[in-house]
């Protein structure tokens, strides 16, 4: 025991050995919070706590796997496997499968991903003959998601005049009908979307106190990672589970709360002591990741926020390089500069590609970076693009596997009913859907009874539907005694998918074949891995749940080639790189124009910038462009206020590229540009904010920054301010 505890500093050890009662660990960036959480769980087991009574909730599968691996090294594989540890969604899915009968679901319910939800919502909009320009499926899906995360059911929505009025004013008066249809169709298909995994868990605990009591007694010690990212629904579930024993340990950093757009509520961590008045609070302030200059620069930024918990992050690491700020003519030049810088640093310091990350505020900014990296022949990986499991050919095969497990899955049946082509057209599908909806039976049951029900289809079409039904039933029979790999291989072979694709002969079809092959390889790996999991039989159902809950960043590059990482700052959270480039530091881009209307949104943008800087271990390079295209129009850009908020002693002087460059114009003339230097003309003001009716002293000619309107110069004072002589 002492061996692993000796690896902790005093600040880390205190929450690790704190056994009973609620505790909050405020952990600065790179301060070892995962180690504390891991060692605390190991310590509890060493102290005699039953591992089955420990619950640990994370936000990524990657974090859960790393923690479980570390714990197994200390307490052994057997005990580590007994801990209930995983993402919120995976743990709650597990509970819901065990208790599904209470809510009227089968235990093999399907988990709909975003694309499945979009397809269903689009179908409903079409069936209701609504204007798809007014009722955009993504807007509707986001609206439904928001309501569910705030525990607003269909009935609650319909009885809330303010919510209904909002949609009426948004020219979507039939939103409630879509919401109702969507919920009913999901239930009929025995399917839940990601938001349902939270909503239904809350419903389960509220409606059935005996079930809540069961899990309160089971989970005597509860741990929550990244507590600042929890939404209202997650907060209520955790609070309900912890109410009996109050052995709740939450770990997080308010300075890294950046997910309000998906429902995260920073108040959950800020108000923790109001919920648990006897809570102990520990602070991890020593940063082990970054250099002194990076840590201090990040502190100087985040200190500009007013709504925060008190902490002072520090490090014993070397001072390191100061932060570089580079001004470029346009976004293309920005891309070329980043690519050249990576190329030079690689060669000069013998670094690998994976030492570098390029971070941006929006996905659209990756284009210029990608173009430049390709020209330099530098391998890269874009995170947040189309992932493996979202590719068409993969979705098609997975849809078959999902229907085998859950024949009530309407969306999957619609996807595969005519794939590969078997002569079942869209009009036939629509007739089947109308009949199933009118008679309140599943689409699969309608197909099953196709020869006995009164539906206007010719004999040839009915035979094709019957053949499809028999095909699925045969797969289901095989599934009774085969593992996921055997079934998947049988499906691909019997459908003759690979040979059908081969007849095309195009490069695209070859890629599709390779992807299907990789899917089969992946299922094989899954089956082999499940041999080590107690109670697992590597079933198709287990594999499909694993896929449904997977995310892009949870997976390693299959080709093992080291690559430069490109991603939004949101996606970078929790990661670290030797050298980080943060591009596009311009007003209205970063901070986003949408964040300038109120302080809360602007502070979240500042936290996002803080997260970006603290991903770096050795070096940070910031770039911004003088001009940038927006909707095809070249616009002048202003440097982001965040650059000016970094204390100047942490910025490297004289690194702005002001050398003369030759740029060829389209008419072959040579234009010469001198890149201007950034000049900070801002007048230092001791108090940046007006509080408690106190007024700052301003004079004609001062340059100021307004939270909403940005930078401006005082041209005229109309009257003396209050309190002046």
């Amino acid at each position: 025991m002492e061996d692993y505890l000796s690896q902790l500093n005093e600040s880390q050890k205190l929450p690790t050995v704190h056994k009973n009662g609620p505790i909050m660990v405020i952990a600065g960036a790179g301060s070892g919070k995962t180690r504390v959480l891991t060692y605390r769980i190991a310590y509890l087991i060493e102290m005699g706590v039953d591992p089955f009574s420990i619950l640990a909730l994370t936000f990524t599968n990657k974090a859960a796997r790393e923690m479980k691996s570390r714990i197994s090294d200390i307490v052994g594989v057997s005990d580590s496997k007994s801990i209930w540890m995983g993402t919120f969604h995976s743990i709650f899915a597990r509970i819901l499968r065990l208790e599904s009968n209470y809510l009227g679901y089968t235990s093999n319910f399907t988990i709909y991903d975003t694309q499945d939800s979009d397809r269903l919502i689009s179908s409903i909009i079409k069936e209701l003959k609504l204007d798809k320009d007014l009722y955009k499926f993504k807007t509707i899906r986001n609206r439904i998601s928001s309501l569910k995360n705030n525990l607003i059911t269909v009935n609650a929505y319909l009885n809330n005049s303010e919510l209904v009025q909002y949609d009426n004013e948004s020219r979507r008066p039939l939103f409630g009908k879509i919401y109702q249809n969507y919920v009913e169709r999901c239930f009929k298909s025995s399917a839940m979307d990601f938001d349902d995994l939270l909503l239904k868990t809350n419903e389960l605990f509220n409606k059935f106190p005996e079930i809540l009591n069961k899990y309160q007694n089971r989970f005597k010690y509860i741990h929550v990672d990244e507590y600042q990212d929890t939404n209202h629904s997650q907060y209520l579930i955790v609070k309900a589970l912890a109410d009996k024993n109050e052995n709740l340990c939450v770990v997080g950093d308010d300075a890294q709360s950046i997910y309000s757009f998906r429902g995260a509520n920073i108040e959950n961590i800020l108000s923790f002591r109001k919920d648990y008045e006897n809570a102990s609070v520990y602070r991890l302030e020593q940063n082990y990741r970054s250099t002194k200059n990076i840590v201090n620069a990040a502190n100087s930024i985040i200190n500009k926020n007013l709504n925060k918990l008190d902490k002072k992050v520090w490090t014993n690491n070397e001072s390191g390089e100061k932060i570089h700020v580079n001004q470029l003519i346009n976004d293309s030049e920005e891309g070329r500069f980043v690519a050249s810088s990576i190329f030079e640093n690689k060669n000069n310091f013998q670094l690998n590609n994976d030492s570098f990350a390029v971070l941006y505020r929006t996905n659209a900014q990756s284009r210029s970076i990608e173009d430049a990296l390709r020209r330099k022949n530098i391998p890269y990986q874009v995170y947040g693009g189309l992932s493996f499991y979202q590719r068409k050919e993969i979705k098609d095969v997975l849809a078959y596997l999902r229907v085998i497990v859950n024949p009530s899955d309407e969306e999957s049946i619609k996807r595969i009913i005519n794939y590969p082509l078997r002569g079942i057209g869209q009009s036939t599908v629509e007739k089947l859907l109308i009949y199933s909806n009118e008679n309140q039976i599943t689409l699969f049951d309608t197909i099953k009874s196709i020869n006995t029900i009164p539906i206007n289809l010719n004999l040839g079409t009915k035979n094709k539907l019957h053949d499809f039904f028999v095909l699925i039933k045969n797969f289901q029979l095989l599934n009774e005694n085969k593992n996921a790999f055997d079934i998947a291989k049988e499906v691909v072979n019997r459908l003759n998918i690979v040979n059908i694709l081969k007849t095309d002969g195009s490069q695209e079809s070859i890629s599709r074949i390779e992807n299907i092959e990789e899917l089969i390889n992946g299922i094989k790996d899954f089956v082999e891995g499940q041999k080590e999991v107690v109670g697992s039989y590597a079933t198709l159902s287990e594999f499909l749940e694993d896929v449904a809950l997977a995310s892009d960043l949870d997976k390693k590059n299959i080709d093992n080639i080291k690559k430069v990482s490109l991603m939004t700052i949101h996606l970078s959270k929790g990661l670290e790189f030797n050298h980080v480039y943060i591009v596009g530091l311009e007003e209205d881009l970063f901070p986003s124009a949408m964040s300038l209307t109120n302080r809360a949104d602007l502070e979240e943008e500042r936290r996002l910038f803080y997260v970006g800087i603290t991903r770096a271990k050795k070096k940070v390079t910031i770039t911004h462009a003088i001009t940038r295209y927006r909707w095809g129009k070249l616009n002048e850009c202003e440097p982001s206020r965040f650059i000016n908020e970094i204390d100047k002693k942490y910025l490297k002087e004289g690194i702005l590229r002001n050398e003369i460059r030759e740029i060829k114009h389209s008419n072959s003339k040579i234009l010469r540009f001198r890149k201007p230097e950034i000049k900070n003309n801002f007048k230092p003001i001791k108090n940046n904010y007006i509080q408690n009716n106190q007024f700052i002293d301003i004079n004609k000619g001062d340059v100021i920054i307004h939270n909403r309107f940005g930078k401006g110069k005082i041209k005229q004072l109309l009257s003396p301010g209050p309190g002046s002589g």
Side-chain angles (χ1 to χ4, degrees):
M1 184 193 303
E2 286 303 319
D3 184 44
Y4 68 87
L5 290 180
S6 65
Q7 299 175 32
L8 303 174
N9 65 34
E10 195 60 31
S11 297
Q12 294 170 330
K13 189 180 292 185
L14 289 172
T16 301
V17 300
H18 185 131
K19 186 177 179 183
N20 294 316
I23 69 171
M24 178 170 63
V25 182
I26 303 167
S31 62
K33 69 176 179 64
T34 304
R35 172 176 287 190
V36 168
L37 207 54
T38 302
Y39 287 5
R40 173 179 161 80
I41 294 171
Y43 178 80
L44 289 173
I45 296 171
E46 293 270 8
M47 290 292 99
V49 174
D50 185 351
F52 281 98
S53 69
I54 298 173
L55 171 66
L57 297 167
T58 67
F59 275 86
T60 66
N61 293 313
K62 179 173 176 281
R65 284 198 298 267
E66 287 178 356
M67 285 171 60
K68 209 161 208 175
S69 176
R70 292 189 195 180
I71 292 168
S72 70
D73 291 339
I74 301 171
V75 302
V77 175
S78 179
D79 281 342
S80 70
K81 285 181 177 179
S82 302
I83 304 166
W84 279 57
M85 180 180 291
T87 64
F88 281 88
H89 290 92
S90 66
I91 294 294
F92 298 158
R94 186 176 174 183
I95 292 173
L96 289 169
R97 291 200 189 281
L98 291 170
E99 316 297 344
S100 57
N101 59 304
Y102 284 90
L103 299 174
Y105 286 84
T106 59
S107 61
N108 62 346
F109 62 81
T110 298
I111 300 174
Y112 277 0
D113 63 16
T114 300
Q115 283 196 3
D116 297 319
S117 296
D118 286 348
R119 282 165 60 90
L120 177 54
I121 291 168
S122 296
S123 295
I124 294 169
I125 291 169
K126 186 176 179 180
E127 291 164 17
L128 295 175
K129 296 181 170 59
L130 300 175
D131 186 342
K132 62 182 181 182
D133 290 327
L134 287 175
Y135 293 88
K136 294 179 177 175
F137 66 87
K138 287 186 178 180
T139 304
I140 300 297
R141 185 240 300 153
N142 288 333
R143 177 79 167 139
I144 291 173
S145 176
S146 176
L147 291 171
K148 285 185 176 182
N149 282 323
N150 285 287
L151 306 180
I152 301 171
T153 61
V154 171
N155 287 335
Y157 168 83
L158 295 173
N159 291 322
N160 190 312
S161 59
E162 288 185 14
L163 293 173
V164 173
Q165 181 66 24
Y166 171 84
D167 288 305
N168 287 339
E169 291 174 355
S170 302
R171 299 172 67 197
R172 291 188 291 269
L174 292 177
F175 167 78
K177 192 168 184 68
I178 299 172
Y179 188 14
Q180 187 170 28
N181 265 265
Y182 176 75
V183 170
E184 290 173 352
R185 295 275 281 276
C186 284
F187 184 74
K188 190 180 75 172
S189 294
S190 192
M192 295 189 194
D193 60 25
F194 278 3
D195 300 312
D196 281 328
L197 297 177
L198 305 180
L199 179 69
K200 297 298 180 183
T201 304
N202 267 300
E203 184 181 330
L204 180 71
F205 289 163
N206 283 327
K207 285 186 176 180
F208 305 98
E210 67 276 20
I211 301 297
L212 173 60
N213 187 58
K214 171 184 171 180
Y215 287 98
Q216 285 177 333
N217 290 331
R218 172 171 291 177
F219 302 134
K220 292 184 170 61
Y221 291 87
I222 300 171
H223 302 77
V224 184
D225 193 17
E226 307 286 5
Y227 191 65
Q228 77 282 349
D229 293 335
T230 53
N231 62 27
H232 183 59
S233 187
Q234 291 162 332
Y235 162 80
L236 289 177
I237 295 170
V238 170
K239 195 169 188 308
L241 287 171
D243 265 355
K244 190 167 189 175
N245 299 297
E246 289 201 343
N247 293 324
L248 173 63
C249 171
V250 303
V251 180
D253 182 8
D254 60 298
Q256 298 184 65
S257 178
I258 57 175
Y259 292 116
S260 65
F261 65 93
R262 68 183 189 195
N265 186 358
I266 193 174
E267 288 301 321
N268 292 346
I269 191 167
L270 295 178
S271 304
F272 184 81
R273 296 195 72 176
K274 291 180 182 176
D275 292 332
Y276 305 93
E277 292 182 359
N278 62 330
S280 299
V281 178
Y282 300 96
R283 289 173 172 81
L284 306 182
E285 297 175 316
Q286 184 176 357
N287 179 299
Y288 290 93
R289 176 188 299 152
S290 309
T291 63
K292 282 188 174 70
N293 270 306
I294 293 172
V295 169
N296 292 335
N299 284 341
S300 71
I301 294 161
I302 205 63
N303 285 338
K304 301 293 190 300
N305 276 2
L306 298 182
N307 196 26
K308 63 183 188 296
L309 297 169
D310 290 333
K311 66 176 179 297
K312 176 69 174 177
V313 181
W314 59 277
T315 185
N316 274 332
N317 293 341
E318 62 180 1
S319 295
E321 290 191 54
K322 293 185 177 183
I323 291 176
H324 295 218
V325 179
N326 289 71
Q327 179 175 273
L328 292 312
I329 291 174
N330 52 43
D331 54 344
S332 297
E333 184 72 11
E334 181 179 56
R336 286 191 287 273
F337 165 75
V338 170
S340 295
S341 176
I342 292 172
F343 185 83
E344 290 167 10
N345 278 289
K346 276 178 59 181
N347 292 331
N348 292 341
F349 302 103
Q350 290 75 55
L351 301 173
N352 294 320
N353 290 314
D354 59 356
S355 296
F356 303 90
V358 185
L359 310 182
Y360 34 77
R361 180 63 180 84
T362 66
N363 275 308
Q365 292 170 256
S366 76
R367 180 197 57 79
S368 62
I369 309 297
E370 288 186 69
D371 288 348
L373 290 171
R374 279 196 297 268
R375 291 190 185 102
K376 287 281 186 184
N377 201 28
I378 299 173
Y380 66 89
Q381 169 103 25
V382 178
Y383 292 92
L386 194 63
S387 67
F388 179 80
Y389 292 103
Q390 299 301 325
R391 295 166 191 169
K392 181 188 180 302
E393 60 278 10
I394 303 301
K395 294 280 286 185
D396 290 337
V397 176
L398 290 178
Y400 269 100
L401 303 183
R402 287 163 63 163
V403 171
I404 294 169
V405 172
N406 176 19
S408 299
D409 186 345
E410 182 178 292
E411 290 305 301
S412 291
I413 291 175
K414 284 157 62 177
R415 185 177 191 98
I416 63 173
I417 196 167
N418 199 39
Y419 175 80
L421 295 174
R422 51 175 63 93
I424 301 173
Q426 188 58 37
S427 61
T428 298
V429 176
E430 288 174 359
K431 288 178 182 178
L432 296 172
L433 285 169
I434 290 169
Y435 185 89
S436 65
N437 289 331
E438 286 177 352
N439 292 273
Q440 291 296 299
I441 61 174
T442 68
L443 181 56
F444 191 74
D445 284 338
T446 301
I447 297 168
K448 176 183 177 181
S449 308
I450 196 62
N451 290 317
T452 60
I453 59 176
I455 192 167
N456 185 25
L457 293 171
N458 63 49
L459 184 60
T461 301
K462 287 186 176 182
N463 288 338
K464 291 169 185 172
L465 288 166
H466 178 71
D467 291 344
F468 174 76
F469 169 75
V470 171
L471 177 72
I472 298 299
K473 290 302 291 184
N474 286 338
F475 285 145
Q476 287 178 323
L477 288 171
L478 290 171
N479 190 44
E480 290 177 3
N481 54 23
K482 288 184 181 290
N483 62 35
F485 170 74
D486 292 330
I487 283 293
K489 197 171 180 181
E490 183 69 24
V491 168
V492 171
N493 289 339
R494 193 173 294 190
L495 295 173
N496 202 29
I497 294 174
V498 173
N499 286 331
I500 292 170
L501 288 169
K502 277 182 181 177
T503 59
D504 185 353
S506 67
Q507 186 57 50
E508 184 181 2
S509 64
I510 294 170
S511 295
R512 291 182 186 277
I513 293 170
E514 290 172 348
N515 286 334
I516 291 172
E517 181 185 7
E518 187 54 39
L519 173 65
I520 300 299
N521 294 340
I523 299 175
K524 181 67 175 176
D525 287 342
F526 171 81
V527 169
E528 292 299 315
Q530 291 300 101
K531 290 178 180 178
E532 304 296 321
V533 178
V534 177
S536 172
Y537 298 94
T539 63
L540 198 52
S541 182
E542 288 175 335
F543 170 72
L544 290 172
E545 181 164 316
D546 189 70
V547 169
L549 299 170
S551 64
D552 288 351
L553 288 175
D554 290 331
K555 299 177 177 60
K556 296 178 181 178
N557 294 335
I558 59 173
D559 55 13
N560 291 321
I561 297 175
K562 291 182 169 55
K563 300 175 182 178
V564 176
S565 296
L566 274 62
M567 67 188 78
T568 64
I569 301 178
H570 282 101
L571 279 179
S572 75
K573 189 166 171 291
L575 304 177
E576 59 182 40
F577 306 89
N578 280 329
H579 193 153
V580 169
Y581 296 84
I582 308 176
V583 301
L585 260 291
E586 299 138 31
E587 287 291 301
D588 296 339
L589 182 58
F590 195 13
S592 163
M594 294 184 293
S595 71
L596 304 179
T597 57
N598 61 74
R599 180 178 301 282
D601 289 346
L602 180 60
E603 290 200 349
E604 175 150 332
E605 288 287 296
R606 190 175 285 113
R607 291 195 295 269
L608 189 60
F609 186 44
Y610 174 87
V611 167
I613 287 179
T614 55
R615 297 313 90 202
K617 295 195 289 186
K618 301 293 185 183
K619 187 176 179 182
V620 175
T621 301
I622 294 170
T623 65
H624 67 96
I626 300 173
T627 59
R628 190 176 296 270
Y629 279 99
R630 301 272 179 94
W631 298 102
K633 185 182 177 183
L634 194 64
N635 291 323
E636 290 187 9
C637 303
E638 183 183 351
S640 169
R641 69 190 68 191
F642 296 154
I643 295 174
N644 196 59
E645 288 179 354
I646 303 173
D647 193 313
K648 291 180 182 61
K649 62 187 174 188
Y650 307 122
L651 295 176
K652 185 168 182 178
E653 301 293 334
I655 48 83
L656 302 177
R657 301 182 69 199
N658 56 1
E659 74 271 23
I660 296 175
R661 301 263 303 176
E662 292 187 349
I663 301 175
K664 289 189 177 179
H665 199 263
S666 57
N667 61 8
S668 297
K669 291 182 180 178
I670 293 182
L671 306 177
R672 295 181 182 270
F673 292 90
R674 181 176 294 275
K675 298 183 181 179
E677 296 183 8
I678 298 175
K679 293 183 180 179
N680 293 322
N681 295 320
F682 305 111
K683 181 176 179 178
I685 298 174
K686 291 181 181 179
N687 182 5
N688 292 320
Y689 305 100
I690 302 173
Q691 295 178 298
N692 302 324
N693 295 319
Q694 294 180 350
F695 288 79
I696 58 177
D697 181 31
I698 55 176
N699 300 290
K700 187 177 178 180
D702 285 350
V703 176
I704 63 170
I705 296 177
H706 190 278
N707 281 341
R708 180 173 180 180
F709 302 112
K711 187 181 76 172
K713 181 181 283 187
I714 303 295
K715 290 188 174 181
Q716 186 180 359
L717 295 174
L718 298 179
S719 62
S724 62

